[in-house]
Amino acid sequence: MKVIVTGGAGFIGSNLVRLLLERGHEVLNIDALTYAGNIHSLDGLADSPAYRFLHADVRDSSLMSRTLREYGPDWVMHLAAESHVDRSIDDPGNFMTTNVMGTFSLLQAALEYYRSLEGEKKERFLFHHISTDEVYGTLRPGEPAFTEATPYAPNSPYSASKASSDHFVRAYHETYGLPTLITNCSNNYGPKQHPEKLIPKIISNALEGKNIPIYGDGKNVRDWLYVLDHCKAVDLIFHRGKAGETYNIGGHNEKNNLEIVDAICSILDREVPAADGKSYKELIVFVKDRPGHDKRYAIDATKLTTELGWKADENFASGIVKTVEWYLGKLNKKAA
């Protein structure tokens, strides 16, 4: 298939682009290369005849329309988004324009393109919007995990912008008949993640001997999903999912932030012991909690498992070891 991936230089996007190419698809990657995008995450792909890159912003509606018309995709996978919650608190306007208006721009282009299609090409076209579990709000301890029927209750400018974009995608399916899919995933981790995110920040601060800052009491819980498991789920949903449906993708790995730090520091203590002989855990410091910090997220992926047969390959214990080893390998290459 010919696939457009927006945000393909980002963390999830770059892993998805590589998976799609490995599975024999042609990919056009559209990315604005903001702070969240890293073109080096795609090193080695430029010579592939199945891969193309377009440096562009999804908010450019005329360019998006022209690109879809000229490239002729079978699928559009929309990942381009501002996703750093802390940044959304400081600059909510950018999240509004990128996540909401950017999605609107792409939906308009996709609808125009879809209406021009005929026959088999039209039958197989899909627009897949990749979203987040944060649109559902927060859970108390012991409450059931989020399902696809959980009401939206976003608590940050980031999650509010993603909730809005989800609603637009659903509306374009219901109103205009555009074949769409929505997936809401839990917290991703793995290779190539932006250094501002929790896990790479813990690793880099520890190795540099800097304090490891933890918001509040460190008891905020997230459901952790290895990024390649997420990408495999996305690919599966495109092949077997039903247009108009929403699917939750979760790792079934609920961990609080202190547990994450403890796991990473234990691996680092074993693999690269500190010169002073102390545990990296001694670098942990607690800092003032951020505004609107959701206490717990948890995903119920039963629908995806029972209807489409998806199952994560990694549990947290195996995935976090692979993640830390990747970052250590990256540092070793720099040193060499």
Side-chain angles (χ1 to χ4, degrees):
M1 298 292 181
K2 296 184 73 174
V3 189
I4 285 179
V5 176
T6 70
F11 167 47
I12 299 171
S14 60
N15 282 283
L16 178 60
V17 166
R18 289 184 181 278
L19 178 69
L20 293 171
L21 290 170
E22 288 171 7
R23 294 188 170 181
H25 303 297
E26 296 179 43
V27 177
L28 170 61
N29 173 14
I30 302 175
D31 200 294
L33 294 180
T34 64
Y35 67 89
N38 182 359
I39 196 64
H40 294 297
S41 295
L42 302 157
D43 283 350
L45 299 184
D47 295 332
S48 169
Y51 176 72
R52 290 172 55 190
F53 176 72
L54 175 63
H55 185 192
D57 194 317
V58 293
R59 292 173 288 189
D60 187 338
S61 55
S62 60
L63 179 57
M64 291 304 102
S65 293
R66 186 166 72 251
T67 300
L68 265 71
R69 186 169 60 250
E70 293 176 354
Y71 185 69
D74 299 296
W75 306 337
V76 174
M77 294 182 171
H78 179 40
L79 292 87
E82 294 280 350
S83 64
H84 294 236
V85 177
D86 287 352
R87 287 179 180 256
S88 81
I89 295 169
D90 296 333
D91 183 16
N94 197 37
F95 282 68
M96 173 68 183
T97 58
T98 300
N99 297 355
V100 183
M101 297 308 297
T103 300
F104 171 72
S105 168
L106 203 60
L107 283 168
Q108 283 286 88
L111 180 60
E112 176 188 321
Y113 169 70
Y114 175 68
R115 286 172 168 170
S116 74
L117 299 177
E118 296 179 349
E120 184 181 341
K121 186 85 171 176
K122 189 165 190 172
E123 289 178 8
R124 67 173 177 246
F125 179 77
L126 280 171
F127 181 102
H128 187 160
H129 179 61
I130 285 79
S131 190
T132 173
D133 58 358
E134 296 191 38
V135 299
Y136 298 123
T138 189
L139 293 168
R140 292 187 296 271
E143 279 192 300
F146 301 131
T147 72
E148 291 80 1
T150 300
Y152 278 25
N155 291 318
S156 71
Y158 162 61
S159 56
S161 68
K162 290 299 288 185
S164 179
S165 63
D166 288 7
H167 290 320
F168 268 101
V169 173
R170 176 180 170 81
Y172 267 64
H173 175 75
E174 295 295 331
T175 302
Y176 305 113
L178 182 68
T180 65
L181 291 164
I182 299 172
T183 51
N184 298 89
C185 69
S186 56
N187 276 42
N188 279 223
Y189 70 102
K192 304 183 178 73
Q193 192 166 23
H194 191 278
E196 287 184 5
K197 295 290 190 174
L198 178 66
I199 287 175
K201 190 169 187 176
I202 293 169
I203 297 169
S204 62
N205 278 27
L207 294 176
E208 292 171 19
K210 297 179 180 178
N211 287 338
I212 301 172
I214 301 297
Y215 281 129
D217 61 4
K219 299 295 181 65
N220 299 75
V221 174
R222 300 295 181 259
D223 176 14
W224 292 91
L225 173 66
Y226 193 64
V227 65
L228 292 179
D229 282 328
H230 182 197
C231 293
K232 291 172 186 176
V234 167
D235 185 48
L236 174 68
I237 290 164
F238 245 97
H239 283 89
R240 300 185 189 175
K242 181 181 177 183
E245 292 293 316
T246 293
Y247 298 90
N248 281 351
I249 309 173
H252 300 291
N253 291 299
E254 285 190 56
K255 304 285 182 185
N256 67 42
N257 290 344
L258 280 175
E259 291 175 305
I260 300 298
V261 178
D262 183 77
I264 292 171
C265 289
S266 295
I267 297 169
L268 294 176
D269 286 341
R270 182 177 68 247
E271 298 295 328
V272 283
D276 61 8
K278 295 180 180 179
S279 171
Y280 291 105
K281 297 173 190 177
E282 295 189 30
L283 296 171
I284 296 172
V285 295
F286 294 92
V287 298
K288 183 180 178 181
D289 210 353
R290 72 183 179 209
H293 196 181
D294 291 332
K295 198 66 181 176
R296 174 177 168 244
Y297 304 144
I299 281 284
D300 182 344
T302 300
K303 178 179 178 179
L304 179 59
T305 300
T306 56
E307 292 187 10
L308 304 186
W310 177 81
K311 182 182 178 182
D313 291 329
E314 304 291 342
N315 58 35
F316 186 78
S318 63
I320 197 62
V321 169
K322 288 184 177 181
T323 301
V324 174
E325 286 179 346
W326 183 87
Y327 282 99
L328 291 177
K330 182 181 176 184
L331 290 172
N332 289 336
K333 285 180 182 178
K334 280 186 177 181

